[in-house]
Amino acid sequence: MSTLLRQIYGYRRGLWYVVSGSLWGLGAAGFINDNFLEISAIVGPSMTPTLSPDVEATGACDHLAWNKWDACSNVRRGDVVLFGIPSRPEDTAVKRVIAVEGETVILNPNRRPRKGYTKNGPDVHESRSWDAWEGRAKVPPGHVWVEGDNWRKSKDSNWSGPISRSLILGKAVCVVRPVKRFGLRPWEQYKSRTKVLRAQIDTRSDVEALDAMGP
Amino acid sequence: MLRSSLTRLRINRDASILLRLVQRSRLASSKTPPKPNAFDFHQKRTSETIVPPASSQWTLSSFVRPLPDLGRIPSNVAAYLFCACIAFHIFSEYGFVLEGAYGISMLPTIASDGDWLWISKYYRRGRDLKVGDVVSFRHPIRPGEYAVKRIIGMPGDFVLRDTPEKGHMMMQVPNGHCWLVGDNLTYSRDSRMFGMLPLALITGKVLGPVRWSGWTIPYLEKLEHGLQPAVLDDGDVE
């Protein structure tokens, strides 16, 4: 035992370099992960078959690379975004942006919130707020409307309303795993069927109207 | 870089010991002094290296390494700068950060002309927050901007939707959201304008402004939660 300790003592300089180097490497990886690039898996079925097509059958999920630099600027219709969930602050979700501020979404009746994701299931609490939109949802300033590609299994803005653009943490860059789909952007081929009316009024004035509102 | 220069010093030290042994044996064998050769130059340069003490005891001073070669400054400075950046990022992202705040919406708690706020990032995304805490958050309507307000309602609480004199409608705060109001009610744009704030937008809790006057050491003025126990006024009860 004492010979082993003496050997470790002999290699103490090398050990020190290995330990401190790996700690600084971890810190650098955390720096890059927080500010620039994150790689994370899509574990839910809401974006099938575009992303993670086999997640319910086999559990194999797609890993995506996310660009986290200035993620809440220049969000366009069709982007796949990673955002913090309003109702569960510690979790994140992946959906596609359907409409940005000032635009009006014509709600798709297939996506009405129902219990158990079935087409004719009973209503849930969120069904009443979906009905209150009366078929047209205007996206307020600073918000976006997100929907999952799989209309059967997606809890998105149809359930919780438009989300604030500040919640967006990253925009999708490309698929990282599985390796045979590396570098692909499979979400670009999908065209969402949800209709959107472009903004007719300048959205700047909406923000100014909000500012002018007194307490 | 550091390692190779230390190894070189150690090789130089061993070489100088070896050289001294060789020279002593040469002196013993011949009368003439040895011819100066290229190694003498090395011997002069290595007179400052560490030589182990005569006995086999190592003292604390024998662990002190000499500074690296002067010619190596640029890469060492780059490494130290890199480590400083990483350390600063980790501290300001997960520990504490000092931010400047401007605006009149939190008077008199926070000054209007640029107070420096000490923010704890432990409370980001709403962890362990309570009613009465002053928090900094990403603005829900103006992405890219940050704001500072006080929490009036956490999930489950019932809050008044408007200013007390202007309305009496109450709302219950849903899961994962909070209701924020500024201390200066008349001039604050807060949840009365933009509605419930998702807790995921909260970046940290403001522990207090850092104040100093003249040349005194800056001190932290801790913010109170401002809640007072409800007092039943006997005069109201008939």
Side-chain angles (χ1 to χ4, degrees):
Chain A
M1 187 61 194
S2 67
T3 47
L4 176 68
L5 284 176
R6 217 176 291 153
Q7 276 180 336
I8 294 175
Y9 179 79
Y11 287 114
R12 66 192 179 282
R13 204 164 25 170
L15 264 180
W16 168 250
Y17 284 130
V18 163
V19 167
S20 68
S22 49
L23 282 177
W24 287 116
L26 269 176
F31 177 72
I32 293 175
N33 185 51
D34 286 340
N35 292 350
F36 303 109
L37 183 80
E38 176 175 335
I39 296 181
S40 68
I42 300 186
V43 297
S46 60
M47 291 295 284
T48 56
T50 320
L51 293 167
S52 285
D54 305 317
V55 68
E56 285 199 310
T58 62
C61 10
D62 283 355
H63 293 248
L64 250 61
W66 300 97
N67 176 9
K68 296 182 84 163
W69 179 252
D70 219 10
C72 50
S73 330
N74 291 329
V75 175
R76 305 219 186 285
R77 212 174 307 126
D79 283 348
V80 169
V81 292
L82 176 80
F83 58 93
I85 302 179
S87 51
R88 294 200 309 265
E90 297 292 335
D91 295 333
T92 53
V94 173
K95 298 282 181 288
R96 183 188 297 266
V97 171
I98 300 295
V100 295
E101 62 192 12
E103 300 177 348
T104 307
V105 178
I106 311 287
L107 295 180
N108 185 350
N110 281 337
R111 290 179 179 264
R112 183 169 180 271
R114 286 179 205 275
K115 189 170 171 131
Y117 296 114
T118 54
K119 200 159 177 186
N120 303 312
D123 283 358
V124 285
H125 174 68
E126 288 87 349
S127 313
R128 287 177 48 185
S129 36
W130 192 92
D131 291 337
W133 290 113
E134 289 178 356
R136 283 174 181 229
K138 179 149 196 270
V139 181
H143 286 61
V144 293
W145 186 273
V146 291
E147 282 182 357
D149 289 352
N150 188 348
W151 57 268
R152 290 185 187 86
K153 295 190 162 72
S154 167
K155 273 195 179 176
D156 44 35
S157 285
N158 288 290
W159 289 69
S160 64
I163 63 161
S164 167
R165 188 151 56 98
S166 308
L167 280 169
I168 293 178
L169 299 167
K171 296 204 264 277
V173 174
C174 68
V175 175
V176 171
R177 270 183 68 186
V179 182
K180 57 174 178 286
R181 296 170 78 196
F182 184 89
L184 293 182
R185 297 163 63 95
W187 60 87
E188 283 178 343
Q189 276 84 43
Y190 178 89
K191 281 280 179 290
S192 168
R193 301 243 209 99
T194 308
K195 295 191 182 33
V196 169
L197 297 177
R198 302 278 170 99
Q200 278 138 8
I201 311 169
D202 179 22
T203 52
R204 231 354 76 202
S205 62
D206 282 343
V207 179
E208 278 156 16
L210 208 67
D211 280 350
M213 256 168 77
Chain B
M1 306 149 273
L2 196 63
R3 191 201 167 92
S4 62
S5 52
L6 291 173
T7 318
R8 238 184 324 116
L9 290 166
R10 202 175 46 185
I11 292 174
N12 286 336
R13 178 198 72 200
D14 295 340
S16 75
I17 295 170
L18 195 62
L19 189 63
R20 264 183 252 151
L21 286 171
V22 164
Q23 282 181 339
R24 249 180 248 149
S25 66
R26 279 208 200 141
L27 273 173
S29 60
S30 72
K31 295 285 173 15
T32 56
K35 220 162 66 170
N37 53 20
F39 287 108
D40 287 344
F41 176 70
H42 267 283
Q43 191 187 14
K44 280 226 170 40
R45 274 190 61 183
T46 55
S47 57
E48 297 94 27
T49 60
I50 296 172
V51 178
S55 62
S56 58
Q57 275 176 339
W58 287 84
T59 58
L60 196 61
S61 58
S62 52
F63 285 96
V64 174
R65 300 291 174 197
L67 285 173
D69 263 343
L70 280 184
R72 291 271 186 264
I73 270 189
S75 52
N76 268 338
V77 162
Y80 290 140
L81 266 179
F82 173 78
C83 293
C85 285
I86 303 292
F88 177 75
H89 165 79
I90 292 178
F91 186 71
S92 63
E93 187 84 16
Y94 303 106
F96 300 90
V97 73
L98 202 63
E99 296 276 1
Y102 295 85
I104 55 171
S105 61
M106 286 296 287
L107 285 171
T109 318
I110 296 172
S112 63
D113 60 347
D115 244 349
W116 289 97
L117 303 176
W118 185 242
I119 298 177
S120 166
K121 295 296 193 95
Y122 168 81
Y123 298 92
R124 64 185 185 279
R125 295 197 291 264
R127 178 156 61 158
D128 285 355
L129 279 176
K130 293 189 275 299
V131 170
D133 288 341
V134 177
V135 292
S136 104
F137 57 97
R138 291 203 287 266
H139 205 284
I141 310 288
R142 300 156 169 273
E145 289 186 15
Y146 292 74
V148 169
K149 297 282 180 280
R150 194 182 289 269
I151 291 184
I152 299 296
M154 287 297 278
D157 293 345
F158 289 90
V159 292
L160 196 65
R161 194 190 68 174
D162 306 308
T163 319
E165 294 88 34
K166 307 266 176 67
H168 48 264
M169 174 160 157
M170 299 204 63
M171 297 173 75
Q172 186 176 26
V173 180
N175 260 343
H177 292 71
C178 63
W179 187 264
L180 301 170
V181 175
D183 285 355
N184 189 358
L185 277 179
T186 342
Y187 295 104
S188 164
R189 288 173 302 209
D190 41 45
S191 284
R192 293 169 296 165
M193 273 101 251
F194 56 69
M196 302 283 173
L197 182 91
L199 283 171
L201 288 177
I202 290 182
T203 54
K205 174 175 159 181
V206 175
L207 297 178
V210 175
R211 295 253 154 88
W212 68 92
S213 60
W215 289 103
T216 59
I217 299 174
Y219 59 94
L220 178 74
E221 209 178 277
K222 272 213 166 131
L223 288 180
E224 302 299 320
H225 58 64
L227 301 173
Q228 286 157 6
V231 173
L232 194 62
D233 195 356
D234 283 339
D236 293 334
V237 179
E238 289 298 324

